[in-house]
Amino acid sequence: MLGHETATVTTGTARTTGRDEVFQVEEHGIDPIPDTERHGSAKDVFWLWFGSNLTFTYVINGALAVAFGLSFWQATAVVVIGGLAFLAIGAAGLSGVRTGTATLVVSRAAFGRRGNWPAGLLNWIVSIGYTVVNTVVGTLALEAFLADLGWSGGHAARALSLAVTLALTFAVALWGHATVQFAERWMAYVLAVGFAALVVLVLPGADTSAPAAAPGAQAWSLAFVVVLAGPFSYLPMPADYTRYLPRTTSLKAVTRSAALGGFLSSVALGVAGAAAATQADMTDAVAGAEGLLPGWFQPLFLALVLGGSVTNSIITLYSSSLNLQVLGIPWSRARAIVISAAVTAAGSLGALFLTDFTTSLLSFLSLLIIVFAPWGGVFLADMVLRRCAYDSAGLHADTGGPYWYRSGWHPAGLTALLAGLVFSALTCDSELWTGPLVAPLGGADLTLLGAAVSALVYVLLARGRVTPHRP
């Protein structure tokens, strides 16, 4: 359970203490967590994914589905299907229970020790990008909150709001795993009540009539891409938060808890966003939603936006520090996170004080689904073929071992990844890139199917060669 953050083991006269304590800097990084220091239960994973997804981003996603031309009920169906994608996130966390290490270490089994490096770099970039986006949203909400209190300080108010938002995020992520779980759980209690009130206030006014024209393939596909991009972006990190769980933890319980947590928060807020979009102009989603709320609730609403941004940024910033260790940064997790925090601060300053930076950043992040949908397909297919049984020592071997393959590159994994990348690139409809097959498909964006393509190719190439590790 969450309160059991310290495991003490006595062997003869030697005494070692695992430092996974609330408000203490975590000592472990991507090194395997010893069985003697593991603790907690599957319900901890529920609170982590429930709390971290109580973010205003999902309100925006639901609103975008309506903006693309879907009715309220059609958008709601897309949001619910998107929420079911958290089953994949929960399943991906099983590898952490089995190996005691981070997701991007486990993915070395699918791509090879060296072949895993490019995906690790791209994941760090996208993690920082999402952290910047959430930081900017939280900063603007806090700035608006200060304005409601009577202080409209221009650049000074914005700079102070940014400093507070970054400090809240960095402090929790720096302390590490136990503090992240603790913060996500207690913030979830508060945010859940606040966002539940938001849903109650917005939902009754939803226009449930059918749209004037039936949405086409483009509208449906874009809505699915927007809604599913959130869960897919988490695929490289679930094991980061299950690696401390005891090996005896029920694998079904881990999957169920993570899936339920992410599903409840993302669907509730997505439906609220769809309802809001049928009543107001959600081009500026925060202002649009705020206009639908009674005056007494508006300051609380801005506080909710800030809190949700921080809870989501905490897990992406924390995972980014583990990611840097995967990339070979020879620093502890606590030191590596300073790099991620500094880059996040720089990106946030640019987004807040440079024209159109945020728009460009969001377009860039949407394009990265071309990479992470196929990557997720290969990773999950590999996990299924191995039945989530890995050689933990082999995952950490610098050279040689079962995951060295051909000079550190796994041909099957990389070929499958390339096949998925090509398919996604050909069918992507983004502001920065439109694939040549989009027009013949009637404007449909099939980027996410790159995951299915890469998974199928990997199974065909690796079946019989990739097997569960047997000690």
Side-chain angles (χ1 to χ4, degrees):
M1 43 192 256
L2 192 60
H4 184 169
E5 287 89 13
T6 306
T8 303
V9 182
T10 303
T11 306
T13 58
R15 192 169 186 264
T16 59
T17 303
R19 293 293 301 276
D20 188 35
E21 304 176 24
V22 176
F23 305 130
Q24 296 292 325
V25 176
E26 177 191 6
E27 294 180 348
H28 286 295
I30 62 172
D31 53 305
I33 307 301
D35 288 345
T36 53
E37 297 181 24
R38 296 200 186 192
H39 57 85
S41 66
K43 67 181 180 182
D44 297 336
V45 184
F46 168 86
W47 289 110
L48 177 96
W49 291 111
F50 179 70
S52 63
N53 285 285
L54 286 170
T55 173
F56 193 72
T57 302
Y58 289 105
V59 175
I60 297 174
N61 291 346
L64 283 173
V66 172
F68 292 143
L70 273 61
S71 70
F72 169 76
W73 290 114
Q74 290 168 337
T76 296
V78 171
V79 166
V80 170
I81 294 173
L84 292 175
F86 277 97
L87 283 167
I89 305 305
L94 303 181
S95 59
V97 179
R98 290 285 179 84
T99 64
T101 192
T103 304
L104 282 170
V105 175
V106 179
S107 63
R108 290 169 177 170
F111 301 102
R113 185 68 167 78
R114 291 173 174 167
N116 189 59
W117 197 90
L121 176 61
L122 284 171
N123 180 67
W124 182 77
I125 293 172
V126 77
S127 294
I128 294 301
Y130 277 119
T131 307
V132 168
V133 170
N134 278 312
T135 299
V136 169
V137 172
T139 298
L140 294 176
L142 181 55
E143 182 184 14
F145 182 78
L146 293 176
D148 287 346
L149 294 179
W151 184 42
S152 299
H155 286 339
R158 179 165 293 187
L160 175 62
S161 299
L162 174 60
V164 171
T165 305
L166 285 171
L168 291 172
T169 304
F170 177 70
V172 176
L174 174 67
W175 274 317
H177 176 266
T179 310
V180 168
Q181 285 199 319
F182 176 84
E184 294 290 352
R185 183 168 189 161
W186 285 98
M187 291 179 74
Y189 294 154
V190 177
L191 292 174
V193 173
F195 276 120
L198 172 68
V199 172
V200 170
L201 291 170
V202 171
L203 197 57
D207 179 2
T208 58
S209 61
Q218 183 179 32
W220 282 103
S221 64
L222 288 175
F224 273 112
V225 167
V226 166
V227 169
L228 289 168
F232 266 82
S233 69
Y234 292 130
L235 274 174
M237 63 178 72
D240 302 0
Y241 305 101
T242 58
R243 70 195 205 281
Y244 277 93
L245 293 178
R247 292 181 192 271
T248 55
T249 305
S250 167
L251 301 185
K252 289 183 179 179
V254 170
T255 302
R256 184 171 57 247
S257 294
L260 183 61
F263 178 86
L264 289 176
S265 48
S266 65
V267 169
L269 297 184
V271 171
T278 66
Q279 306 170 63
D281 180 6
M282 294 289 283
T283 304
D284 182 341
V286 173
E290 188 178 14
L292 296 173
L293 302 171
W296 63 267
F297 190 75
Q298 290 178 4
L300 296 176
F301 166 71
L302 294 173
L304 288 174
V305 176
L306 170 62
S309 298
V310 170
T311 60
N312 197 261
S313 292
I314 285 170
I315 66 167
T316 54
L317 188 61
Y318 174 79
S319 287
S320 74
S321 64
L322 298 175
N323 200 328
L324 287 174
Q325 288 190 314
V326 173
L327 294 176
I329 299 295
W331 289 0
S332 67
R333 182 207 59 82
R335 291 182 63 191
I337 204 171
V338 175
I339 298 176
S340 294
V343 176
T344 298
S348 300
L349 284 169
L352 289 164
F353 295 102
L354 297 179
T355 305
D356 294 330
F357 183 90
T358 302
T359 301
S360 299
L361 181 61
L362 286 169
S363 298
F364 175 64
L365 292 175
S366 68
L367 193 62
L368 285 179
I369 197 68
I370 292 177
V371 175
F372 285 102
W375 183 92
V378 175
F379 176 77
L380 292 174
D382 181 79
M383 191 176 73
V384 170
L385 290 177
R386 298 182 192 278
R387 298 179 186 174
C388 206
Y390 301 91
D391 181 339
S392 185
L395 290 172
H396 293 272
D398 290 331
T399 58
Y403 310 123
W404 186 244
Y405 305 111
R406 295 183 184 177
S407 301
W409 305 82
H410 188 199
L414 295 172
T415 301
L417 177 62
L418 180 60
L421 287 172
V422 170
F423 178 88
S424 293
L426 291 174
T427 59
C428 175
D429 185 12
S430 167
E431 290 187 15
L432 296 181
W433 167 260
T434 299
L437 295 183
V438 172
L441 290 169
D445 185 332
L446 304 182
T447 310
L448 291 169
L449 289 181
V453 171
S454 62
L456 177 61
V457 172
Y458 186 74
V459 170
L460 292 175
L461 293 177
R463 179 183 291 177
R465 300 180 182 182
V466 169
T467 57
H469 171 67
R470 303 187 185 282

